[in-house]
Amino acid sequence: MLAYIIRRILYAIPILIGVNILTFSLFFVVNSPDNMARMHLGMKRVTPEAIENWKIERGYDKPLLYNEETGGAGALTDTIFFEKSARLFVFEFGRSDAGRDIGYDIQQRMWPSLAIAVPTFIIGLLVTITFAMLVAFFRATYVDYWGVILCVVMMSISGLFYIIGGQYLISKVLHLVPISGYDTGVSALKFIILPVIIGVIGGIGAGTRWYRTIFLEEVSKDYVRTARAKGLSELVVLFKHVLKNAMIPILTACVSQIPFLFMGSLLIESFFGIPGLGSYTIDAIQRQDFAIVRSMVFLGSVLYIVGLIMTDISYTLVNPRIRLS
Amino acid sequence: MTEPFLSVRNLKTWFNSSRGPVHAVDGVSFDIRKGETFALLGESGCGKSMTALSVMQLLPSQAVGNVSGEVLLEGQDLLTLSEVAMRDVRGNRIAMIFQEPMTSLNPVLTIGDQIEEVLRRHRGLRGEQAYNKALELLDAVGIPERKQRYGEYPHQLSGGMKQRVMIAMALAGEPDLLIADEPTTALDVTIQAQILELLQALQRDSDMAILLITHDLGVVSGMVDHVAVMYAGYIVEKAARQQFFDNPSHPYSKKLFASLPNIKKRGHKLAVIEGSVPSLAQTFRACRFVERCDYAWQTCRDREPRWFEFERGHGARCHLVDTELPPHERVRPVAKAETSSALKSDLGAPRTLMTVEDLVVHFPIHKGLFKRIHGYVRAVDGVSLELFRGRTVALVGESGCGKTTAGKALLQLIQPTAGKVRYGDVELTQLSRQAIKSHRGELQIIFQDPYSSMNPRMMVGDIIEEGMAAQKVGASSEERRQRVEALLRQVGLPPESRYRYPHEFSGGQRQRICIARALAVSPKMIVCDEPTSALDVSVQAQILNLLKGLQDQLGLTYLFITHNMSVVEYLAHNVAVMYLGRIVEQGSVRDIMENPKHPYTQALLSAVPTIETSSRREIIQLEGDLPSPINPPQGCHFHPRCAHAMPECRENYPLAKILSQTHQVRCFLYK
Amino acid sequence: MEFKFVILWTDALVFLLVGIVTGFTVYVSRKEHLRAPWRHVARSRMGMAALVILAAYLVVGLLDSVHYRPALETSGEQEKVRYSAEVLSVFDLIATPFRERQEKTYSAPFATHLYAKETIEFPDGSTRRDFPRLEYGGAHLDDPHQDRFADIVLTSVAGIVQGVVIWAALITLTAYLLARRQKSEVKTVVKRIAKGETDIPWHVMLVTAGLLIVLTVLAINLGLKYHLLGTDKVGQDVLYQALKSIRTGLVIGTLTTLIMLPFATILGIMAGFFHGWVDDVIQYIYTTLSSIPGVLLIAAAVLVLQVYVETHPEMFDTIAHRADMRLLFLCIILGITSWTGLCRLLRGETLKLREVEYIQAATAFGVSNAKMLGRHILPNVMHIVLIAVVLDFSGLVLAEAVLAYVGVGVDPSMNSWGNMINAARLEIAREPIVWWSVTAAFIFMFTLVLSANLFSDAVRDAFDPRLRQQ
């Protein structure tokens, strides 16, 4: 087991290198720092000096891969690639184009993101599984038929509309909670409730439908017939036998999402003015802050790989067939 | 006579399909008494499993609610019970075990939990009591190390053990009736013998009735009291066992017996049932068997025969036995002339086609940090064989012994790890991938499953032509087209079949197409990998006849991989018995069948259920299961299960002992 | 009127796609076993109703994909005809009345007055701040406060009647064609359709089509007099915008797939078929790509494109060309981020197929690898590809809106539902609220995505062997 985990982690290294090289070439090779500077400073009032200054301030004035001016190790380290890309491996994100410390920002903004994402994830999982069980219990009846249609209708609505509609209804018409904002401590609760509810509702359609197919696939298996032949009631069959088997694919799929909870939800955070990593990313994209985007790309891939490893591990833990072999 | 415990009256079950209602069970009636074993015998699709599921009311969703008739359990009609009331019957009064022990147990619950579930549900046992009872049950079904097994998951058990657990689960409710739906079909013969023996022993100790659903005449002859033969949704013949085996009366039953291969029919064609089972999505006016019957006359086409009991306890649904038929309808039936032409048996001196020496196929197991090779699955571990022109070698063994791997390695479809395969003057193992392609045409293979061995998206003509194109057989497409039609005719299919798709054919027809495909490239040798084990007995006879005929006609050499002993004695010239990657005994078919020397061969042969009730052989019970080929036992692989094991058997693997010109064995008993 | 055809990049690809689909349809219709699952789709009521709606969207989208530049009115007798910088489509031509009736700024649906107060100068010279009359919306009314309601009702009734007449004509035509093909009488065919006894659910399709026809005719009737869905900030008709957005949605939903499909299919099959280093390399590529969060990769790529476009303005003739370039680029980058899932699925399926006996039989004949892939593997994974394509479509349409919100969607000058929502979201806070742009975008987008989802369900039911067994 340990060897397996170590191997998976080792396997992650070339992938992260790949991600790094890809982002590096996207940001610095396809697109020269000069272009970036020109874009940031605005197209009209650009003087070569202004561009140089902009680049020096942000450390983009160095050579890309090989610095001929400095000798020895500096030839490789005093370059954009080393300073801006390779350092990401030790989670040194550097400063944003606006001059703020990205690492510090990420640490600060992680918590509001988690405050929204964790409850959304857990409540969402419980709600969708319950609905899916309900629909699976009434399979091949009208409840099932219309339940599935309702799911399709719900998943056909863009997440944007859930947010806009929810904000309008709860905050503007009913005045139940503030429309947006964030606070620390207990008073954060009133800001969290609405985003969580909207996040949960937005995920019901697709989630319920997907879990339903998993349940129905399990229901058609032979062991379910055996359980019925024992004289067990439909509820016991469903909750003990089917649920336990269906939890294997469900759990493994969910585990891969856990690391991403840190990243927060782009849309919800941005709409509700939550100072989390999601809105951080969106702001960076909108302000065209390449340094932050680059950092978030790397962070995202790290989390993805962590998710993959966790998925594999949880799968081996949950499934007795693999656990015990 | 005692009152029947279960009485099924005119049971009908149907479900709706796009072509109208399909009457899967169409008027089935039978009685089962306490302590009796009753068999429903029939080929696939005859409705025997549906009958059982209707009794249990465990029907698939499309048939739920579409049941009529009566299922009387000690006078109470189960069909009128509510679902909730029915749950008190299931597992309690009637229990059921299924064909696939591999999938019928819940993979994420422990064995103990699954057994205790029944104890809690029907016997009200909890905690310590339930635990003790579960252990008792595991003991009763012959599971060793029961305390450890109790906490294990199904995947940790072998197939035979799983079926024992299924039986323990069924027994937990102390049922009065056990329905066993093909309980041994997925198991090997030696394991089958164990399970059947267990069922019989359990029945002797209690008053339990068993409803056995099977397609195997051998199993029926071994353990039942009464038998009912099903065909196309209803029962065509019903009798006590002795009556049935002495005097099968319905033409269908007779044909079933006649189509079974055995040593006495060697050199003769097997009887076959022409045509196929009629679609059940229709209303029958005539006898359902009329199209395939050798005796049919006008009355059979005019009227469906009624149920007629012509001797006590023995009845059939056939105009032949109906002695009360009005005279004008009793036109003297004349059986169609059986073409039981003798086949060529004189073969002359054997000439070698292929020599296999010490063939080894090991699959590496990777483990650890760097996926280093940690061990090997010794699938084939030194097999030597000689194949003679125009003759058949049967490679016999239980599943997992490596016989299929050996067959494929011989053809270089799997890269052998070591060993030599000399074909004519070519050493196949030394050839490059390109070089071997030119020999592919001469060495062909037919697979077990006729459903997965043809690309569903290609027309039959294209399927047959593909090999010809790859092997450059036939100069022009016109020439190839003609050849395809000739081949189809040769295997007994109309030439128009070439424009149809595989799914339009039945299993037997598909296997014919596969044979035609192999023949298309004019092979010298064909590896037949269990070509009939997925087929019904009557269809099996057709395929065996075809293979035999082609051998006589074209001088083909077969390597016939099978676990079916009766096919071996009918078809093979030489037999090689495999156990855990090695051949333990080989010889002419006479040597092996009449004078088996190796204890494993002896056990294997004794475990095969036979229908000759008069000459009951003593079954040699083998303990335990086939060991894992990853870690085979030290010394002789067979010694842990061998009754004659000696100290030296644990030390070394015995060398081949040549007993006669044709017969050799690897066992320390013969030195 | 003189004009010059303009073929934008996406237009070319759209017509290529139409060609491919047509070719595929002809091919399928000749092969019985390929036709069978489609017949299953054709029997699904939900699926066919959805198909009718999709077809309506498709017509608008295709009309909007034939572009031209009209000639400018030449003054004097210049030799050379000059063409407008504005690129129009056939759809624009048809919808000219909607396109050209531009107001000053926001106005509500059916409004006769602007949504913002302005200083109005009266003939007598006095001025007052009030809501001015619209230039086009309800301009034919003398006293809007009194006449508007009656006028709307009358126009609606007329519209509905016209719609029903057209619908009746459609029913008759369908019945006539069916009757000719089945060689029976029109009357019996109509009866069978009405009772729902036909194999293909014509009754459901005709009802859906009827609904669409009535709505369309109604919209035309009302839309010529009022702004049916109001106007936006610069006074453009929202209905026209929403309709123009259809093409954007369809292009993103389909071209993305067209672009990624060859990669996903070829790489997926190769990875599964040739174990070893080929498999390792392909797996590495797709794990790396999928490890980057999609939105971020798209954002990064679009930012890079933006810089590129802004530094090379000379490359693009017109605004439309530039917007089109960005749309195409968006499709490509969406394609890059979305092929990995399908590729992985295909790899898994190919791995399974490799072990199937007909592949081994082909090996036993010495069939070449290329033939093996083309004849045995590819046709047997096509159903997965098809299911993935239809399932992806709705996701991509939805993704467009999100990307527009993030600021990395299609060009701001291009009509798209995402841009409509994005522009309107700032107005939600306004009192009283400007709700119609969002609502219009919602209705059009929801209808398309729902139809696509329902249709893809029908396709999946028909093609997925696991679902078919149940």
Side-chain angles (χ1 to χ4, degrees):
Chain A
M1 188 70 197
L2 190 68
Y4 177 73
I5 295 172
I6 293 173
R7 202 175 64 242
R8 290 306 314 246
I9 291 172
L10 288 180
Y11 182 63
I13 292 171
I15 291 175
L16 285 177
I17 293 175
V19 170
N20 210 300
I21 291 171
L22 193 75
T23 42
F24 175 76
S25 45
L26 204 60
F27 282 100
F28 294 107
V29 181
V30 177
N31 211 6
S32 70
D34 280 16
N35 285 343
M36 273 194 289
R38 215 167 280 143
M39 176 117 167
H40 257 256
L41 297 169
M43 297 304 278
K44 279 163 198 143
R45 47 179 179 82
V46 198
T47 58
E49 295 85 58
I51 292 181
E52 270 317 301
N53 275 337
W54 190 88
K55 278 162 63 182
I56 290 168
E57 267 171 40
R58 289 160 185 80
Y60 290 145
D61 55 332
K62 291 167 186 162
L64 282 181
L65 287 171
Y66 189 77
N67 195 340
E68 288 174 358
E69 286 164 31
T70 52
L76 288 176
T77 55
D78 199 20
T79 58
I80 291 184
F81 179 73
F82 187 82
E83 288 289 321
K84 300 290 174 191
S85 279
R87 276 178 181 246
L88 290 174
F89 279 106
V90 288
F91 296 101
E92 273 182 31
F93 297 110
R95 295 195 169 270
S96 72
D97 290 347
R100 290 176 59 90
D101 182 354
I102 300 177
Y104 176 78
D105 277 352
I106 290 177
Q107 273 174 32
Q108 288 298 304
R109 285 172 163 262
M110 201 172 86
W111 302 109
S113 279
L114 285 175
I116 305 280
V118 170
T120 310
F121 177 73
I122 294 172
I123 299 174
L125 195 61
L126 292 177
V127 169
T128 40
I129 288 183
T130 315
F131 279 3
M133 291 293 279
L134 205 71
V135 176
F137 183 77
F138 290 106
R139 65 189 168 278
T141 65
Y142 277 99
V143 177
D144 183 23
Y145 184 78
W146 288 107
V148 171
I149 299 228
L150 186 68
C151 287
V152 176
V153 168
M154 285 186 73
M155 60 190 264
S156 301
I157 298 172
S158 166
L160 290 167
F161 293 116
Y162 282 113
I163 298 173
I164 295 175
Q167 274 189 333
Y168 179 73
L169 192 73
I170 308 284
S171 302
K172 246 185 135 173
V173 178
L174 302 174
H175 296 288
L176 291 178
V177 290
I179 198 157
S180 70
Y182 194 71
D183 206 343
T184 49
V186 184
S187 49
L189 200 64
K190 66 174 185 281
F191 293 106
I192 289 176
I193 288 178
L194 185 58
V196 168
I197 291 177
I198 287 174
V200 169
I201 292 178
I204 286 180
T208 305
R209 206 166 76 121
W210 184 52
Y211 295 149
R212 172 186 170 270
T213 25
I214 293 181
F215 286 136
L216 288 192
E217 203 165 294
E218 287 297 328
V219 165
S220 65
K221 290 195 175 160
D222 282 353
Y223 71 82
V224 175
R225 190 177 56 184
T226 311
R228 291 212 188 96
K230 287 179 186 173
L232 301 177
S233 73
E234 192 66 11
L235 276 178
V236 175
V237 171
L238 212 53
F239 277 90
K240 185 167 174 192
H241 289 258
V242 173
L243 185 61
K244 222 171 167 182
N245 278 283
M247 278 323 272
I248 295 175
I250 292 177
L251 260 186
T252 43
C254 288
V255 165
S256 70
Q257 292 172 19
I258 290 176
F260 279 105
L261 298 180
F262 288 97
M263 297 282 279
S265 154
L266 294 180
L267 293 182
I268 286 191
E269 286 185 15
S270 161
F271 263 97
F272 288 96
I274 310 264
L277 283 177
S279 53
Y280 187 58
T281 314
I282 284 212
D283 288 348
I285 294 172
Q286 282 168 350
R287 279 189 284 113
Q288 309 191 336
D289 193 323
F290 290 79
I292 299 179
V293 173
R294 215 166 46 229
S295 306
M296 294 311 281
V297 165
F298 187 78
L299 189 65
S301 347
V302 171
L303 293 176
Y304 177 84
I305 289 163
V306 171
L308 278 189
I309 297 172
M310 280 171 64
T311 306
D312 287 352
I313 294 171
S314 68
Y315 186 70
T316 50
L317 289 180
V318 177
N319 195 338
R321 250 173 292 190
I322 296 178
R323 183 174 68 216
L324 299 168
S325 67
Chain B
M1 228 180 183
T2 52
E3 273 302 292
F5 169 70
L6 179 85
S7 180
V8 175
R9 295 268 153 270
N10 200 23
L11 182 72
K12 290 188 182 183
T13 306
W14 64 97
F15 51 85
N16 295 313
S17 75
S18 53
R19 286 171 300 155
V22 174
H23 299 275
V25 181
D26 201 16
V28 165
S29 308
F30 58 88
D31 296 329
I32 304 178
R33 286 170 185 80
K34 281 204 169 164
E36 164 184 277
T37 303
F38 186 93
L40 273 182
L41 176 80
E43 295 183 294
S44 53
C46 70
K48 55 192 192 301
S49 284
M50 275 301 235
T51 306
L53 293 175
S54 305
V55 170
M56 286 291 269
Q57 295 195 42
L58 283 175
L59 290 165
S61 56
Q62 65 264 41
V64 168
N66 298 341
V67 185
S68 75
E70 284 176 330
V71 177
L72 302 171
L73 183 75
E74 293 190 320
Q76 187 184 31
D77 188 358
L78 295 183
L79 297 184
T80 61
L81 285 183
S82 69
E83 172 64 21
V84 177
M86 193 59 209
R87 284 184 199 138
D88 288 330
V89 177
R90 284 187 211 130
N92 185 19
R93 311 206 51 200
I94 309 179
M96 187 161 178
I97 57 177
F98 301 95
Q99 176 173 356
E100 285 290 342
M102 319 294 163
T103 56
S104 292
L105 288 168
N106 190 331
V108 300
L109 296 180
T110 60
I111 306 297
D113 192 6
Q114 296 191 52
I115 295 174
E116 277 186 20
E117 210 169 32
V118 185
L119 297 171
R120 279 197 299 273
R121 171 74 181 80
H122 294 298
R123 314 264 306 269
L125 297 181
R126 296 268 184 284
E128 190 75 5
Q129 272 182 311
Y131 175 73
N132 289 333
K133 183 69 199 170
L135 289 188
E136 213 175 282
L137 284 164
L138 286 174
D139 198 36
V141 296
I143 289 184
E145 300 154 51
R146 54 197 181 137
K147 276 191 181 151
Q148 188 198 334
R149 292 295 184 200
Y150 177 90
E152 286 188 347
Y153 290 91
H155 72 274
Q156 292 166 290
L157 272 63
S158 68
M161 282 297 160
K162 280 187 202 145
Q163 197 60 293
R164 284 174 193 266
V165 171
M166 282 295 289
I167 294 171
M169 244 160 62
L171 293 179
E174 295 188 354
D176 300 313
L177 171 67
L178 175 69
I179 301 180
D181 187 357
E182 304 260 13
T184 57
T185 307
L187 306 173
D188 281 314
V189 268
T190 54
I191 309 296
Q192 163 168 297
Q194 293 173 3
I195 297 291
L196 293 180
E197 168 61 32
L198 171 66
L199 284 176
Q200 280 173 306
L202 290 170
Q203 197 180 22
R204 273 195 297 274
D205 300 341
S206 66
D207 212 12
M208 185 171 74
I210 295 179
L211 172 58
L212 180 74
I213 288 160
T214 181
H215 68 280
D216 192 334
L217 274 171
V219 172
V220 171
S221 117
M223 68 176 280
V224 307
D225 302 308
H226 285 87
V227 58
V229 183
M230 276 189 84
Y231 182 79
Y234 64 20
I235 292 176
V236 292
E237 183 167 1
K238 196 158 60 187
R241 179 184 65 199
Q242 211 52 48
Q243 288 171 329
F244 180 69
F245 282 88
D246 289 349
N247 180 24
S249 301
H250 195 281
Y252 176 65
S253 315
K254 290 183 185 171
K255 275 285 188 183
L256 280 183
F257 280 99
S259 60
L260 274 183
N262 62 29
I263 202 149
K264 287 183 201 145
K265 294 175 191 157
R266 230 182 126 81
H268 297 273
K269 273 194 165 178
L270 293 169
V272 296
I273 308 180
E274 299 295 345
S276 53
V277 181
S279 159
L280 295 177
Q282 57 174 313
T283 321
F284 290 97
R285 299 259 176 275
C287 171
R288 293 175 191 199
F289 191 59
V290 65
E291 296 302 330
R292 310 174 72 185
C293 185
D294 291 340
Y295 304 93
W297 72 98
Q298 195 51 44
T299 313
C300 304
R301 292 186 183 87
D302 294 342
R303 211 144 50 75
E304 225 182 340
R306 60 172 179 156
W307 183 254
F308 188 78
E309 205 168 288
F310 52 90
E311 59 178 313
R312 195 182 154 77
H314 190 177
R317 209 182 267 276
C318 179
H319 293 308
L320 269 181
V321 300
D322 191 347
T323 48
E324 291 165 18
L325 211 61
H328 67 277
E329 289 186 338
R330 296 185 62 191
V331 179
R332 175 85 208 114
V334 185
K336 281 181 202 159
E338 276 289 307
T339 47
S340 85
S341 55
L343 293 162
K344 203 162 82 178
S345 52
D346 176 33
L347 288 163
R351 287 178 301 145
T352 306
L353 180 80
M354 182 186 269
T355 322
V356 182
E357 262 176 62
D358 286 326
L359 189 72
V360 175
V361 184
H362 286 181
F363 298 112
I365 307 165
H366 298 277
K367 252 189 179 171
L369 189 51
F370 297 104
K371 294 229 160 194
R372 259 194 292 243
I373 293 169
H374 187 261
Y376 291 97
V377 177
R378 297 161 195 278
V380 179
D381 202 19
V383 161
S384 300
L385 264 180
E386 200 169 4
L387 295 171
F388 300 103
R389 280 175 204 275
R391 301 207 175 185
T392 303
V393 172
L395 194 54
V396 193
E398 293 177 286
S399 53
C401 73
K403 56 190 192 298
T404 295
T405 312
K408 287 181 182 169
L410 209 96
L411 299 184
Q412 313 298 310
L413 287 175
I414 295 174
Q415 187 74 41
T417 314
K420 290 184 182 146
V421 180
R422 192 152 28 255
Y423 169 69
D425 45 8
V426 192
E427 176 52 50
L428 291 180
T429 51
Q430 300 297 320
L431 293 181
S432 69
R433 277 174 59 91
Q434 279 306 318
I436 209 148
K437 278 188 181 171
S438 57
H439 292 285
R440 288 268 183 235
E442 290 155 40
L443 309 167
Q444 275 302 308
I445 181 163
I446 301 169
F447 296 97
Q448 169 176 5
D449 183 0
Y451 292 86
S452 64
S453 54
M454 277 186 284
N455 186 341
R457 309 208 178 260
M458 280 167 77
M459 282 193 290
V460 165
D462 295 334
I463 289 174
I464 298 176
E465 226 179 291
E466 182 177 40
M468 287 158 63
Q471 287 295 323
K472 317 247 177 341
V473 178
S476 64
S477 63
E478 175 59 24
E479 202 175 304
R480 285 205 286 267
R481 194 184 64 80
Q482 282 176 359
R483 186 164 162 77
V484 167
E485 292 187 355
L487 283 165
L488 282 169
R489 249 178 255 126
Q490 196 171 9
V491 298
L493 290 171
E496 301 84 64
S497 311
R498 54 175 291 144
Y499 297 112
R500 291 161 65 193
Y501 286 92
H503 70 89
E504 298 171 59
F505 296 90
S506 69
Q509 286 171 323
R510 287 186 204 207
Q511 204 57 293
R512 286 165 187 266
I513 297 169
C514 290
I515 293 171
R517 171 174 66 181
L519 290 179
V521 289
S522 319
K524 300 251 174 13
M525 179 191 126
I526 301 181
V527 173
C528 305
D529 186 3
E530 309 237 19
T532 60
S533 60
L535 305 174
D536 280 320
V537 192
S538 61
V539 182
Q540 165 176 291
Q542 297 173 8
I543 299 298
L544 292 180
N545 281 347
L546 178 63
L547 286 173
K548 190 87 185 133
L550 289 170
Q551 184 169 51
D552 291 344
Q553 221 177 329
L554 306 169
L556 293 173
T557 304
Y558 293 139
L559 177 68
F560 205 94
I561 297 167
T562 184
H563 65 270
N564 188 332
M565 287 299 173
S566 46
V567 172
V568 173
E569 55 182 22
Y570 170 71
L571 196 71
H573 301 98
N574 295 296
V575 183
V577 182
M578 247 180 120
Y579 186 79
L580 218 59
R582 294 189 182 170
I583 290 176
V584 294
E585 183 170 6
Q586 55 183 316
S588 71
V589 68
R590 181 148 293 156
D591 293 335
I592 302 291
M593 289 297 158
E594 289 168 12
N595 192 16
K597 291 296 184 195
H598 198 283
Y600 176 65
T601 317
Q602 291 167 350
L604 197 63
L605 288 174
S606 77
V608 177
T610 65
I611 56 171
E612 282 118 39
T613 43
S614 47
S615 63
R616 272 293 179 82
R617 281 177 289 189
E618 184 64 30
I619 294 178
I620 306 168
Q621 287 283 351
L622 280 187
E623 291 304 316
D625 298 302
L626 193 68
S628 156
I630 298 170
N631 199 4
Q634 184 78 32
C636 173
H637 292 345
F638 187 61
H639 84 259
R641 302 173 74 188
C642 183
H644 310 283
M646 300 173 287
E648 58 184 321
C649 299
R650 293 180 187 88
E651 303 295 325
N652 299 307
Y653 202 93
L655 296 172
K657 166 78 183 169
I658 293 167
L659 299 172
S660 75
Q661 205 182 356
T662 52
H663 197 175
Q664 51 176 303
V665 65
R666 297 182 81 171
C667 180
F668 285 121
L669 288 176
Y670 310 95
K671 274 197 275 193
Chain C
M1 197 179 81
E2 282 190 72
F3 61 87
K4 176 167 103 176
F5 270 118
V6 177
I7 298 180
L8 300 174
W9 271 104
T10 48
D11 291 344
L13 288 173
V14 164
F15 289 112
L16 174 69
L17 187 67
V18 171
I20 292 175
V21 171
T22 317
F24 182 69
T25 314
V26 171
Y27 179 76
V28 166
S29 64
R30 287 193 185 148
K31 303 247 167 171
E32 171 51 33
H33 69 292
L34 294 176
R35 223 163 47 201
W38 285 109
R39 215 178 287 128
H40 195 279
V41 175
R43 283 201 207 100
S44 146
R45 286 194 216 170
M46 281 290 184
M48 290 317 271
L51 188 65
V52 171
I53 294 172
L54 287 178
Y57 271 84
L58 206 64
V59 169
V60 176
L62 285 177
L63 286 177
D64 208 5
S65 293
V66 185
H67 285 101
Y68 67 95
R69 279 162 76 177
L72 289 175
E73 307 271 324
T74 44
S75 56
E77 281 162 28
Q78 280 174 314
E79 283 297 302
K80 211 174 148 201
V81 186
R82 297 205 309 145
Y83 296 100
S84 156
E86 193 182 16
V87 177
L88 294 177
S89 71
V90 174
F91 175 77
D92 289 326
L93 190 68
I94 296 170
T96 305
F98 291 84
R99 179 166 56 96
E100 289 183 344
R101 297 184 315 144
Q102 199 150 350
E103 306 289 350
K104 266 192 195 136
T105 180
Y106 290 115
S107 71
F110 291 111
T112 53
H113 294 80
L114 267 190
Y115 204 56
K117 280 190 181 173
E118 255 181 24
T119 314
I120 307 168
E121 225 175 287
F122 285 91
D124 57 359
S126 63
T127 56
R128 190 158 54 95
R129 276 192 70 77
D130 198 358
F131 300 103
R133 275 296 289 271
L134 291 177
E135 216 173 312
Y136 300 100
H140 60 292
L141 301 175
D142 292 329
D143 182 0
H145 295 288
Q146 212 171 33
D147 303 340
R148 196 177 68 143
F149 183 70
D151 185 56
I152 291 174
V153 170
L154 276 178
T155 318
S156 307
V157 171
I160 291 172
V161 170
Q162 287 171 14
V164 169
V165 169
I166 298 176
W167 183 37
L170 177 77
I171 295 177
T172 324
L173 184 70
T174 314
Y176 171 73
L177 289 177
L178 277 179
R180 240 181 55 171
R181 221 174 66 183
Q182 298 169 355
K183 299 199 173 59
S184 62
E185 275 182 56
V186 177
K187 225 170 157 184
T188 51
V189 171
V190 172
K191 244 184 225 164
R192 288 188 55 210
I193 291 176
K195 284 185 188 163
E197 285 169 353
T198 45
D199 207 19
I200 295 168
W202 286 108
H203 57 307
V204 179
M205 288 169 76
L206 284 171
V207 167
T208 318
L211 221 61
L212 274 177
I213 290 169
V214 170
L215 276 177
T216 313
V217 177
L218 193 64
I220 292 171
N221 272 300
L222 286 169
L224 288 173
K225 292 182 176 175
Y226 301 91
H227 294 292
L228 193 58
L229 294 172
T231 54
D232 73 346
K233 191 167 185 174
V234 292
Q236 221 182 21
D237 193 281
V238 171
L239 176 62
Y240 170 73
Q241 276 186 334
L243 286 168
K244 283 287 281 182
S245 302
I246 289 178
R247 177 177 184 270
T248 314
L250 290 179
V251 164
I252 288 194
T254 52
L255 286 196
T256 302
T257 321
L258 178 74
I259 289 164
M260 66 97 162
L261 213 52
F263 293 98
T265 317
I266 294 171
L267 292 181
I269 290 179
M270 277 177 42
F273 190 74
F274 299 105
H275 294 303
W277 66 269
V278 179
D279 188 20
D280 290 341
V281 168
I282 294 172
Q283 273 201 72
Y284 173 72
I285 294 174
Y286 74 58
T287 319
T288 306
L289 272 180
S290 57
S291 78
I292 303 175
V295 182
L296 285 171
L297 186 63
I298 294 165
V302 169
L303 286 186
V304 167
L305 175 84
Q306 227 162 331
V307 174
Y308 183 81
V309 168
E310 274 173 41
T311 44
H312 300 84
E314 70 286 352
M315 284 181 65
F316 306 100
D317 288 357
T318 60
I319 300 174
H321 277 94
R322 206 182 65 188
D324 183 68
M325 201 59 214
R326 179 150 168 179
L327 178 63
L328 179 64
F329 188 77
L330 199 64
C331 289
I332 294 174
I333 193 76
L334 272 169
I336 290 175
T337 55
S338 63
W339 66 276
T340 53
L342 178 61
C343 188
R344 183 175 307 162
L345 263 181
L346 288 177
R347 173 178 173 271
E349 189 67 19
T350 310
L351 274 177
K352 260 187 258 163
L353 276 180
R354 256 182 76 95
E355 304 305 317
V356 172
E357 284 169 347
Y358 60 81
I359 304 285
Q360 294 193 9
T363 318
F365 284 116
V367 174
S368 68
N369 280 341
K371 272 199 178 144
M372 205 97 94
L373 287 175
R375 291 180 92 169
H376 294 292
I377 307 265
L378 188 64
N380 284 297
V381 297
M382 272 322 268
H383 67 280
I384 295 182
V385 174
L386 189 81
I387 292 170
V389 168
V390 284
L391 279 183
D392 276 359
F393 175 82
S394 47
L396 288 165
V397 174
L398 290 176
E400 187 271 328
V402 174
L403 291 179
Y405 173 79
V406 177
V408 292
V410 296
D411 196 87
S413 70
M414 185 171 248
N415 282 307
S416 87
W417 293 312
N419 281 342
M420 285 171 76
I421 298 167
N422 200 21
R425 103 190 128 98
L426 299 170
E427 309 299 334
I428 301 239
R430 199 180 157 122
E431 288 292 345
I433 186 171
V434 176
W435 49 268
W436 46 89
S437 270
V438 178
T439 313
F442 170 73
I443 292 170
F444 276 82
M445 210 165 140
F446 175 68
T447 317
L448 176 62
V449 173
L450 180 63
S451 318
N453 277 334
L454 289 174
F455 184 68
S456 73
D457 266 13
V459 170
R460 205 175 47 164
D461 283 350
F463 281 86
D464 195 330
R466 277 181 313 172
L467 292 175
R468 229 176 336 177
Q469 282 161 9
Q470 288 172 10

